[in-house]
Amino acid sequence: MKFSKLLILSVFSLFFLPSFAQEATGPVLFTVGGEKTTVPEFKYVYEKNNQTDKALYSEKSLRDYLNLYVNFRLKVRAAREEGIDTTSKFKKEYLQYRSQLAQPYLTDRSVTQKLIDESYNRMKTEVRASHILLQISPDAAPKKKDSVLRVITRLRDSIIKGAKFDEVAKKYSQDPSAQYNSGDLGYFSAFQMIYPFESAVYNLQKTGEVSQPVLTQFGYHIIQLKD
């Protein structure tokens, strides 16, 4: 039997994935030579390798990948039986592919660590902010979004030119609470606001500064750092 580079990929998939894929327990999906592959293990590998697939979880996509994965397992078993996995050529090629294919997992961990550090640092400091909201549905037409963006940009310009933020908020904000708090949200830190809003506040540098328009699931906001 001829073993191609696809075999190297299969070895990586089976032996170098994070421990979750190896240790996952659950219903057995299939068995090759007495070695069981569980549903959680297959799900992990499938999702990790099909992140950009628009047809993720379609019947065809699942069946195609399952066939490929079963073939992986069969080839790995055949390689073991023929001693291919012990040759120097195999080991060299395996290490090269392992290095290449490990990169997405290392990148994922670095992004996760960055977010953890960011949240930890933000939780050290409470901020106080006010906002003005003009509501817009996330699935609104682009022209509608552009129209709302132009309006809230004009409101920001008026504040930069001297209008009082709380007065503009009370008059124009579509957040119902603005009628009694003039847009003042009080003090908060990480995880208490939706992420785009939180980030916009923590990126403001000085008291009184007003953000550029920020789009969230609720609509467009402009935010003023109070304290």
Side-chain angles (χ1 to χ4, degrees):
M1 179 183 290
K2 183 178 179 180
F3 293 90
S4 66
K5 291 181 178 180
L6 185 61
L7 174 59
I8 307 298
L9 300 181
S10 73
V11 172
F12 174 83
S13 297
L14 298 175
F15 300 113
F16 191 70
L17 286 172
S19 60
F20 170 81
Q22 296 298 312
E23 297 174 359
T25 59
V28 176
L29 187 61
F30 63 87
T31 302
V32 174
E35 294 183 357
K36 299 176 181 179
T37 295
T38 65
V39 172
E41 176 185 343
F42 176 77
K43 181 176 183 290
Y44 179 88
V45 178
Y46 173 75
E47 290 177 344
K48 196 67 177 178
N49 288 283
N50 291 275
Q51 292 179 1
T52 60
D53 186 357
K54 294 181 179 179
L56 185 68
Y57 286 125
S58 69
E59 182 177 352
K60 184 179 185 304
S61 177
L62 282 166
R63 286 185 180 278
D64 288 348
Y65 198 81
L66 179 58
N67 289 334
L68 179 64
Y69 198 62
V70 170
N71 287 333
F72 279 175
R73 299 302 294 257
L74 290 170
K75 288 182 178 182
V76 170
R77 179 172 176 78
R80 285 172 172 166
E81 290 176 349
E82 295 189 20
I84 301 294
D85 59 318
T86 63
T87 65
S88 59
K89 181 180 178 180
F90 179 94
K91 290 179 179 178
K92 181 179 179 180
E93 197 170 358
Y94 167 72
L95 290 173
Q96 290 175 345
Y97 274 84
R98 185 178 73 172
S99 176
Q100 293 174 22
L101 295 172
Q103 194 58 47
Y105 299 94
L106 297 176
T107 300
D108 285 353
R109 286 195 291 271
S110 67
V111 170
T112 300
Q113 188 60 49
K114 181 181 178 181
L115 290 172
I116 290 171
D117 292 342
E118 177 185 80
S119 298
Y120 175 76
N121 288 326
R122 287 179 179 179
M123 291 179 73
K124 294 179 181 178
T125 305
E126 286 191 324
V127 291
R128 180 183 174 189
S130 292
H131 81 132
I132 295 170
L133 167 67
L134 295 187
Q135 296 175 348
I136 184 73
S137 171
D139 57 358
K143 286 186 178 180
K144 177 64 174 177
K145 287 185 177 180
D146 288 343
S147 175
V148 174
L149 177 58
R150 287 194 295 271
V151 173
I152 202 164
T153 298
R154 287 198 294 269
L155 294 179
R156 181 182 185 276
D157 290 343
S158 70
I159 293 167
I160 298 299
K161 292 177 181 178
K164 292 184 178 180
F165 192 98
D166 56 349
E167 293 178 358
V168 176
K170 192 168 185 178
K171 185 174 182 180
Y172 294 103
S173 181
Q174 293 174 342
D175 179 348
S177 67
Q179 294 304 307
Y180 60 83
N181 65 13
S182 301
D184 191 343
L185 299 172
Y187 286 92
F188 57 89
S189 64
F191 301 114
Q192 294 178 284
M193 300 291 175
I194 53 178
Y195 184 73
F197 190 97
E198 173 194 308
S199 292
V201 176
Y202 276 93
N203 286 331
L204 295 173
Q205 300 295 314
K206 58 184 179 180
T207 301
E209 185 177 355
V210 179
S211 74
Q212 294 292 335
V214 178
L215 180 62
T216 73
Q217 66 200 60
F218 301 108
Y220 278 105
H221 311 251
I222 51 176
I223 309 163
Q224 184 180 56
L225 183 63
K226 293 288 188 182
D227 187 19

